Amino acid sequence: MTITGWLQAALVFALVCVFVKPLGIYMARVFEGERVFLSPVLAPVERGLYRLCRIDADREMGWKPYAFSVVAFSLVSFAYLYVLLRVQAFLPLNPQGFGNLAPDLAWNTAISFMTNTNWQFYSGESTMSYLSQMAGLGWHMFVSAGTGIAIAIALMRGLARRSASTIGNFWVDLTRCVLYVLLPIAVVGSLLLMWQGVPQNFAAYTTAKTVEGAAQTIPQGPMASMEVIKELGTNGGGFVNANSAAPWENPTGFTNLLELVLILLIGASLTYTFGRYVRNQRQGWALFAAMTIILGLGFTAAYAAEAAGNPIVHALGVLGGNFEGKETRFGVAASSLFATITTVTSCGAVNAMHDSFTALGGLIPLFNMQLGEVVFGGVGSGFYGMIYYVILTVFIAGLMVGRTPEYLGKKIERREVQLAILAALIVPVFALIPAGMATVLPAGLATLNNAGPHGFSEILYAYTSMVNNNGSAFAGLGSNLWWNVSGGVVMLFGRIAIMIPVLALAGALARKRAIPETVGTFGTTSPIFVVLLIGVIVIVGALTFFPADALGPIVEQLLNQQGKTF
Amino acid sequence: MVSRSRSLFDRTILVPAIRESFIKLDPRVQLRNPVMFVVEVGALVSIFYAFRDARNGQAGFDIAISAWLWFTVLFANFAEAMAEGRGKAQAEYLRRTKTDTIARRLVQWTRGSGTSLEEKIPATQLRRGDRVVAEVNDLIATDGEIVEGAATVDESAITGESAPVIREAGGDRSSVTGGTRVLSDRIVYEVSANPGESFLDRMISLVEGAQRQKTPNEIALSILLSGLTIIFVIAVATLAPFSIYAGATPSVVVLIALLVCLIPTTIGGLLSAIGIAGMDRVLQRNVLAMSGRAVEAAGDVDTLLLDKTGTITLGNRQATEVVCAAGVRESTAYRAAYYASLADETPEGRSIVLLTGSRAGLAADEVTNGSLPAGSTVVPFSAYTRMSGVDFADGSQVRKGAPDAVRAWVANGGGTISETLAGDVEKVARAGGTPLLLADKEHVIAMIALRDILKPNTRVRFDRLRAMGIRTVMITGDNPLTASAIAREAGVDDFLAEATPETKMTLIKREQTEGRLVAMTGDGTNDAPALAQADVGVAMNSGTQAAKEAANMVDLDSDPTKLIEIVEIGKQLLMTRGSLTTFSIANDVAKYFAILPAMFTAAYPAMAALNVMRLATPQSAILSAIIFNALIIVALIPLALRGVPYRPRGANAVLRENVLIYGLGGIIVPFIGIKLIDLILVALHLTGAQ
């Protein structure tokens, strides 16, 4: 590990910290319909959209209509993308003349983007027309992120409101999120990327002759605009197959830094927004602190493992960190950082091959996802995932001090525990059970590139990534009917089966009265609570996945040290 | 109830508890507890595999695992049976007298009719509304309310207090409790509860597992534990295909062993014992709770309403000081005060006699006799004059009474009050005392100060409550001035002066709308609505039936300060659950390190590196983990029955300590325990090494 490596990480984090407060306040104002500096430009557009869609912006919803709107919107969006992918060959903006997608691939891809997962069983540059990229995938990159943030805001309202029956209006929250938060940042971000050389055009691919005389096809397309929302919305779906490892998407050290900041930006700022909502900024900082510490631990472990390198390579006399599968312009530190940040959040972008990480280095991104991506997390989903853990922590801690547990003055009772535990079940159920099937079914094993523990890691990583709506791929896995269909199901449940309980939770909490805090109430802003929260997150994650991880990366690392590879 | 302390493993409870542990193996009983149900199913399945493997001589290990799984269930049953046994023994004291009592039921009764036709029936056949007569030496058959007569009653069977108490029709002392004995006179009481519905019956059902309703918090915790169990079922079940992929043959028995080690059996096995033991502790303090929910709610109380009289101060005000007017000899003043109060039978009057008698300059025998000089006439207190006193034979008069009344009387005779004495009167009143003036026909002689005497240690007790985050509010009929002075002295946080049933009710509702949980004690019929409104209402056993029915707890000792102990029991109940849950989950870390390497070293020898405890063989590792898992339940029974130690402190301090003990301790202890068991297995050659 080097000083410069640590400085890179510190720089990313410092830049995020700069934006947390202003963006946090900005989002709180936007979602409560207050005037912000963009209102003169955007408010007329917003009103126009409401008129067009016949939305009554002043009418709030209870949790059930809110959830119904979310599900209905998601399903319609899914259907739209599915159809688009199935007929792209007949539509314009297809200079390379790509054909229509097969039904199973279209199903997988449409669910993948609708759920903010962005798992890709295809190569963008050889499959997708520009229209599919922009109007199909790009549309979902905005609205799936917006949906996640809207739900997080609804939950914040539930926590903040007292004896209330409503938690906001989904259509308004979604519109405001896309219009005031995502679009402005995306515009600025894509200009910066274009300045750094990321392509933004509708041109056909360029054919070039290399120095050696071979013909090379260089992809073109509206990449900068897609790239920025890929990061900002923690989507992760690359325009091209190599994702952020490719020079088109991530050409320089600066773009790498920019992309990392964009990934963390909204998730981190939402903790501040939360503090504003509950009128206690320390509550927001407590969550921010817990997230920061886990991120720090994750990066340290990944960086240490990658910097330590591969014992087998060392035996050949090549010392130093593990450079296999990494871009020279990023190196070990930036790749470890990218891997950590894209898996603690739900981004899933990659700037190196995770498959080529050391076994322990690969365990960290896997474990990050197994924790439920609550460390800043997916935009919105990270926050509400964290609240599930907070509820479990508060419940256990509250019992330990001898009071019916409460969070922010709201009693945590049967229903809250029920919903939190239901959500906690989703990840193990939809990661482990399909993985168990894939390890014994011929169809599951058919497209696996590696054997032994490494092959197992690839399977486990895939389902863990999909259920958490991450989209990060370990690679080493090909697409077939089994993977397309089962992956789609897993992604769908990983999104919907967690979102609906969140909204139910928001509704249940909004209805409650708030109890004034006394010295008998343990504080949820104290260091001891933060430590306990981290403990619950790590222990619950570790206990659930330790057996599986032991058979994957852990045993692989032990075997690597004995000189065995897979 | 006299001797209440019982050794933890009393033989009379232990033996039936062991028998009960086996009866509870019935799957229908186990279904109530999903965690232990999973263990039982696992134990059954492993027996099946033991038989199957018997053919190839592999059964020894399977049998050992299966046996320890059964022990795990039995130990959990034993914990519950122990708690039930202790609770039942407690309730037996109360119930014993009840069942064989013969009641004299009146067939037809009209008020004041004197004797009427009566029939003798067993107490168990009494119905609500029946009228029963009880005379000298009769046992009161069941709970009821006196409708005619008055009697002294020996309640020692219930309260342990040997002094008899007076119970009479009408007023706030009209209720009688089953099992107590009439010592004098004759009363007619109306039965207030059907058989099986009396306080006692309800309490008994709270300490008997089968009928016990789970409390809301217990249900929430059960949901959490069931959720964790499902997660572990998935984590373990998927290990089967994973190990097939890895080229290992998964053994069902080993997978079951791993599952049982991981699911929260420690808390799952002790959960109901903790709840029952909590009820038992309440009962040990002579409090009957109507539901477990009420005890749990007590732990959450934010505001405690306490009656001033009896709770904060000793029963009545007492004379503490006599201040003489200028020029009046002290002995003169004392003597006047003494004579003026001698005939005053109120507690206040008696306290003046007590204070002044020794210093009145009288002959010793005159004081002991307590008689007025010959020819004196007592002038009793009347609401009209608001004074009382004595007219002596020589024509002189002494009066004592409320300052304004006495001043008016003196002014009538042309006398005045000195400035300084008037100032003293003001001072006493402002400090919360009651000033009385003493005068003869011409002068105000002295001022007598009556003050509330605080019960010992009140301040300490309220500080303790404050440390727990509970606000205390004193309820008093006094004027605000007096009330605030006493409140300050006693150290309560707030007070409600000039309290009426209505203002009390308003206060409770206001606190509740602000989201606070309110507890109060009461005994009178006019307390009933407030008792019902309060989240925790404790009625005094000496109080009226209406109060008792409105309350959710009844204190047999009629001690209003008992509420504080109930709050602590409620908190302890939750703390015990929380701490053991944390401990149970933290234990899993070590169990993984014991079992996983044991499962997979055959397929991946490199996995031996994870065997950090260096356990002897795969079999001994798995067996050690499962034995530890079973024994820890037994080891924690005393903690579950007694509750984790509770000291009143701020929540953050309590949390820090419990996280350290049960969280960190829960991670470390099993590493040591499993290693020790493994060493013992090695020493006994039970490692299964072939």
Side-chain angles (χ1 to χ4, degrees):
Chain A
M1 290 191 276
T2 60
I3 298 285
T4 31
W6 283 103
L7 282 177
Q8 290 176 39
L11 183 60
V12 170
F13 187 67
L15 281 171
V16 171
C17 285
V18 168
F19 288 108
V20 165
K21 186 175 171 181
L23 184 58
I25 294 175
Y26 176 78
M27 286 194 285
R29 293 181 64 92
V30 164
F31 287 108
E32 286 315 290
E34 293 169 31
R35 258 186 95 75
V36 290
F37 72 100
L38 288 174
S39 297
V41 187
L42 296 176
V45 182
E46 185 190 349
R47 280 194 300 271
L49 282 171
Y50 294 155
R51 248 197 313 277
L52 191 69
C53 305
R54 298 188 183 194
I55 294 164
D56 179 357
D58 294 326
R59 207 163 89 202
E60 292 226 336
M61 300 170 168
W63 81 264
K64 281 178 192 159
Y66 202 107
F68 178 80
S69 308
V70 169
V71 173
F73 175 73
S74 300
L75 290 181
V76 172
S77 299
F78 158 79
Y80 155 70
L81 178 57
Y82 179 84
V83 172
L84 183 64
L85 296 178
R86 297 278 294 127
V87 299
Q88 71 167 5
F90 316 125
L91 297 172
L93 286 178
N94 189 359
Q96 298 306 116
F98 293 130
N100 298 328
L101 271 68
D104 60 332
L105 184 59
W107 145 270
N108 187 285
T109 306
I111 288 187
S112 175
F113 281 77
M114 181 267 275
T115 57
N116 198 263
T117 312
N118 293 208
W119 179 272
Q120 294 166 293
F121 267 136
Y122 62 87
S123 294
E125 66 271 36
S126 59
T127 315
M128 294 289 171
S129 75
Y130 294 160
L131 186 73
S132 296
Q133 290 274 21
M134 290 183 81
L137 308 182
W139 156 265
H140 277 275
M141 283 179 166
F142 276 95
V143 296
S144 69
T147 303
I149 297 172
I151 291 173
I153 295 291
L155 180 59
M156 289 181 201
R157 292 194 186 109
L159 285 161
R161 289 180 179 181
R162 293 155 188 207
S163 314
S165 55
T166 59
I167 54 172
N169 180 314
F170 171 67
W171 307 110
V172 173
D173 289 343
L174 178 65
T175 309
R176 286 186 180 150
C177 184
V178 173
L179 213 50
Y180 288 85
V181 181
L182 298 177
L183 273 174
I185 302 176
V187 168
V188 176
S190 33
L191 290 174
L192 285 171
L193 288 174
M194 283 154 70
W195 164 55
Q196 287 290 309
V198 178
Q200 179 74 8
N201 57 42
F202 290 131
Y205 293 180
T206 312
T207 310
K209 228 182 188 90
T210 64
V211 186
E212 293 141 22
Q216 185 184 11
T217 307
I218 300 169
Q220 299 289 344
M223 291 190 200
S225 59
M226 295 281 289
E227 186 62 22
V228 67
I229 189 64
K230 176 188 111 186
E231 258 76 41
L232 182 64
T234 61
N235 289 289
F239 195 93
V240 295
N241 189 38
N243 210 303
S244 283
W248 298 281
E249 292 199 19
N250 190 6
T252 64
F254 173 76
T255 55
N256 199 55
L257 174 72
L258 176 66
E259 290 183 8
L260 286 172
V261 172
L262 285 173
I263 294 168
L264 291 175
L265 195 58
I266 292 179
S269 304
L270 277 173
T271 62
Y272 199 90
T273 309
F274 167 62
R276 288 277 284 199
Y277 264 98
V278 299
R279 288 176 208 83
N280 183 352
Q281 223 47 66
R282 290 167 57 97
Q283 298 288 357
W285 287 123
L287 298 189
F288 183 84
M291 293 172 169
T292 302
I293 291 169
I294 301 179
L295 175 65
L297 293 174
F299 170 66
T300 308
Y303 188 23
E306 289 309 291
N310 187 334
I312 298 167
V313 179
H314 290 173
L316 299 173
V318 185
L319 299 180
N322 174 26
F323 266 93
E324 185 192 327
K326 293 190 177 63
E327 299 294 308
T328 45
R329 64 185 186 284
F330 305 133
V332 170
S335 298
S336 306
L337 186 62
F338 206 96
T340 308
I341 288 181
T342 52
T343 49
V344 290
T345 67
S346 140
C347 183
V350 289
N351 76 350
M353 286 295 275
H354 292 186
D355 204 17
S356 302
F357 275 28
T358 60
L360 279 189
L363 172 65
I364 300 303
L366 176 62
F367 189 61
N368 284 338
M369 292 189 288
Q370 289 167 340
L371 296 184
E373 291 169 2
V374 294
V375 176
F376 303 110
V379 284
S381 65
F383 173 80
Y384 59 68
M386 189 57 144
I387 293 296
Y388 280 137
Y389 276 116
V390 167
I391 285 181
L392 294 181
T393 308
V394 160
F395 185 74
I396 293 172
L399 288 183
M400 277 200 282
V401 304
R403 254 178 96 85
T404 297
E406 58 201 62
Y407 182 55
L408 302 168
K410 306 283 180 97
K411 275 203 155 78
I412 302 303
E413 292 165 299
R414 181 183 174 160
R415 185 164 172 77
E416 289 74 39
V417 174
Q418 224 165 14
L419 293 169
I421 204 78
L422 184 70
L425 277 171
I426 299 300
V427 174
V429 167
F430 289 99
L432 291 177
I433 294 178
M437 292 160 78
T439 47
V440 288
L441 289 176
L445 296 170
T447 57
L448 200 62
N449 288 353
N450 301 73
H454 196 77
F456 178 67
S457 297
E458 287 166 350
I459 294 174
L460 186 64
Y461 196 102
Y463 283 113
T464 308
S465 170
M466 287 190 268
V467 71
N468 278 301
N469 298 149
N470 186 297
S472 170
F474 211 50
L477 204 60
S479 125
N480 65 12
L481 188 65
W482 160 263
W483 281 102
N484 279 333
V485 173
S486 72
V489 171
V490 166
M491 289 187 280
L492 190 62
F493 276 96
R495 178 81 164 179
I496 301 291
I498 289 192
M499 270 183 173
I500 293 175
V502 171
L503 290 169
L505 187 67
L509 289 168
R511 268 195 300 277
K512 289 183 185 250
R513 287 191 311 209
I515 309 154
E517 200 172 308
T518 69
V519 291
T521 327
F522 66 89
T524 47
T525 56
S526 64
I528 177 85
F529 180 76
V530 172
V531 170
L532 197 62
L533 177 61
I534 295 170
V536 167
I537 294 170
V538 173
I539 289 193
V540 168
L543 290 181
T544 313
F545 290 102
F546 187 72
D549 291 351
L551 290 175
I554 294 175
V555 78
E556 189 190 347
Q557 177 76 19
L558 295 171
L559 291 168
N560 281 346
Q561 277 160 357
Q562 298 176 351
K564 279 181 87 171
T565 55
F566 299 91
Chain B
M1 225 162 290
V2 206
S3 165
R4 284 328 215 10
S5 56
R6 213 176 307 107
S7 96
L8 204 53
F9 292 98
D10 186 328
R11 276 186 70 84
T12 54
I13 296 171
L14 203 60
V15 177
I18 292 172
R19 194 178 53 230
E20 194 67 17
S21 312
F22 285 91
I23 297 171
K24 284 176 191 280
L25 285 177
D26 185 336
R28 283 167 299 179
V29 177
Q30 293 299 321
L31 253 179
R32 279 172 57 88
N33 185 343
V35 179
M36 296 317 291
F37 183 72
V38 170
V39 181
E40 187 165 82
V41 170
L44 277 170
V45 174
S46 56
I47 283 192
F48 167 77
Y49 278 92
F51 277 116
R52 205 197 59 173
D53 293 346
R55 274 170 290 156
N56 47 34
Q58 294 284 313
F61 175 73
D62 292 358
I63 290 171
I65 292 289
S66 178
W68 279 101
L69 293 181
W70 285 112
F71 279 132
T72 310
V73 184
L74 284 172
F75 291 159
N77 289 348
F78 177 67
E80 188 181 80
M82 280 289 292
E84 279 175 27
R86 286 160 62 82
K88 274 187 209 157
Q90 209 72 61
E92 260 337 283
Y93 282 103
L94 303 170
R95 180 147 60 175
R96 205 166 39 198
T97 43
K98 261 191 84 162
T99 44
D100 46 3
T101 312
I102 298 295
R104 294 160 60 189
R105 184 168 68 176
L106 298 175
V107 178
Q108 271 186 326
W109 179 82
T110 44
R111 200 176 296 274
S113 64
T115 51
S116 64
L117 196 61
E118 61 179 65
E119 56 180 6
K120 293 196 170 166
I121 60 162
T124 46
Q125 290 178 18
L126 287 173
R127 289 287 174 278
R128 190 190 174 97
D130 284 351
R131 270 78 177 232
V132 182
V133 66
E135 284 176 311
V136 180
N137 269 333
D138 282 347
L139 275 176
I140 305 282
T142 181
D143 296 353
E145 180 146 29
I146 301 176
V147 289
E148 186 181 87
T152 49
V153 178
D154 172 11
E155 293 192 340
S156 59
I158 299 287
T159 64
E161 176 62 55
S162 54
V165 292
I166 293 184
R167 294 277 174 254
E168 58 189 344
D172 288 349
R173 298 279 176 274
S174 61
S175 76
V176 287
T177 314
T180 58
R181 187 179 294 278
V182 177
L183 294 181
S184 74
D185 306 290
R186 173 183 188 274
I187 48 170
V188 175
Y189 59 93
E190 189 174 293
V191 175
S192 57
N194 285 332
E197 288 171 15
S198 74
F199 297 118
L200 191 54
D201 294 311
R202 276 189 256 176
M203 190 73 202
I204 288 168
S205 73
L206 285 183
V207 294
E208 287 179 339
Q211 285 92 43
R212 207 171 61 93
Q213 291 265 315
K214 283 187 182 172
T215 59
N217 175 273
E218 210 177 339
I219 292 172
L221 181 56
S222 302
I223 291 170
L224 177 75
L225 298 179
S226 307
L228 286 175
T229 305
I230 297 173
I231 290 178
F232 286 125
V233 167
I234 294 163
V236 172
T238 50
L239 266 184
F242 294 170
S243 39
I244 292 171
Y245 171 89
T249 330
S251 147
V252 174
V253 174
V254 171
L255 286 176
I256 290 171
L258 176 62
L259 175 64
V260 170
C261 280
L262 294 180
I263 60 177
T265 48
T266 314
I267 178 67
L270 295 173
L271 189 57
S272 72
I274 294 169
I276 297 167
M279 294 303 116
D280 182 41
R281 280 199 296 279
V282 171
L283 195 52
Q284 273 177 38
R285 292 197 180 45
N286 259 349
V287 175
L288 302 182
M290 295 301 108
S291 66
R293 193 190 198 115
V295 177
E296 235 170 46
D300 285 349
V301 161
D302 301 286
T303 306
L304 209 53
L305 306 188
L306 297 164
D307 273 329
K308 185 195 78 176
T309 311
T311 314
I312 296 170
T313 63
L314 291 172
N316 295 290
R317 305 194 142 200
Q318 297 188 352
T320 54
E321 198 187 1
V322 177
V323 180
C324 305
V328 176
R329 290 227 330 265
E330 200 172 89
S331 59
T332 316
Y334 275 83
R335 191 177 316 148
Y338 176 75
Y339 284 138
S341 309
L342 209 47
D344 182 354
E345 277 302 321
T346 62
E348 290 86 354
R350 281 202 294 269
S351 77
I352 297 174
V353 171
L354 222 61
L355 178 75
T356 57
S358 57
R359 290 195 272 173
L362 301 167
D365 62 321
E366 208 180 341
V367 175
T368 39
N369 291 345
S371 56
L372 286 163
S376 313
T377 328
V378 172
V379 180
F381 178 85
S382 82
Y384 177 66
T385 61
R386 291 189 296 143
M387 295 189 297
S388 64
V390 184
D391 290 351
F392 294 104
D394 62 359
S396 63
Q397 296 175 316
V398 181
R399 292 289 182 277
K400 76 166 203 304
D404 52 338
V406 173
R407 283 165 83 160
W409 183 67
V410 172
N412 227 10
T416 51
I417 180 171
S418 73
E419 284 289 320
T420 44
L421 206 58
D424 286 333
V425 166
E426 187 75 6
K427 221 187 307 171
V428 171
R430 209 174 313 121
T434 308
L436 297 178
L437 283 180
L438 188 71
D440 59 22
K441 196 75 196 140
E442 287 86 31
H443 315 95
V444 175
I445 304 171
M447 181 211 50
I448 304 168
L450 298 177
R451 290 200 174 91
D452 274 308
I453 307 295
L454 291 184
K455 282 190 152 182
N457 299 329
T458 44
R459 188 168 269 282
V460 180
R461 234 173 318 131
F462 295 137
D463 286 346
R464 198 163 85 173
L465 285 168
R466 203 166 301 117
M468 289 159 35
I470 296 173
R471 217 164 64 89
T472 43
V473 181
M474 181 182 83
I475 308 288
T476 171
D478 294 338
N479 63 59
L481 205 67
T482 313
S484 84
I486 298 170
R488 213 174 316 120
E489 197 183 342
V492 294
D493 298 308
D494 204 354
F495 62 88
L496 176 68
E498 289 164 352
T500 62
E502 293 75 38
T503 55
K504 250 197 239 187
M505 194 69 169
T506 321
L507 174 67
I508 294 175
K509 282 188 177 156
R510 198 187 62 216
E511 292 282 319
Q512 286 174 336
T513 26
E514 285 167 15
R516 298 194 182 88
L517 243 61
V518 183
M520 70 168 283
T521 57
D523 53 6
T525 299
N526 55 21
D527 283 333
L531 280 171
Q533 178 71 33
D535 302 281
V536 177
V538 182
M540 300 296 104
N541 194 44
S542 59
T544 59
Q545 198 61 40
K548 290 195 211 173
E549 270 173 18
N552 40 26
M553 284 184 221
V554 177
D555 178 18
L556 298 175
D557 298 336
S558 305
D559 171 8
T561 59
K562 196 73 78 59
L563 199 48
I564 297 170
E565 288 176 54
I566 300 172
V567 168
E568 293 190 353
I569 294 173
K571 285 191 176 295
Q572 214 186 13
L573 190 63
L574 296 194
M575 280 169 60
T576 311
R577 284 190 198 134
S579 301
L580 289 183
T581 304
T582 308
F583 184 82
S584 196
I585 297 169
N587 271 204
D588 285 359
V589 177
K591 293 169 187 165
Y592 268 135
F593 281 99
I595 296 186
L596 284 183
M599 282 173 83
F600 294 112
T601 31
Y604 298 121
M607 275 280 226
L610 292 182
N611 183 5
V612 292
M613 284 173 273
R614 300 276 156 244
L615 304 174
T617 64
Q619 281 92 338
S620 78
I622 294 165
L623 208 50
S624 302
I626 204 91
I627 292 174
F628 175 84
N629 191 55
L631 291 183
I632 196 75
I633 295 179
V634 181
L636 289 172
I637 289 177
L639 187 72
L641 296 188
R642 291 204 178 114
V644 300
Y646 178 75
R647 279 185 294 142
R649 274 174 309 163
N652 286 328
V654 176
L655 182 62
R656 202 173 310 125
E657 185 177 296
N658 284 339
V659 167
L660 271 183
I661 298 177
Y662 299 98
L664 203 58
I667 293 178
I668 296 166
V669 166
F671 277 102
I672 301 167
I674 292 173
K675 178 68 189 171
L676 281 178
I677 295 170
D678 186 66
L679 288 176
I680 294 170
L681 290 179
V682 170
L684 297 174
H685 303 289
L686 291 172
T687 55
Q690 280 107 17

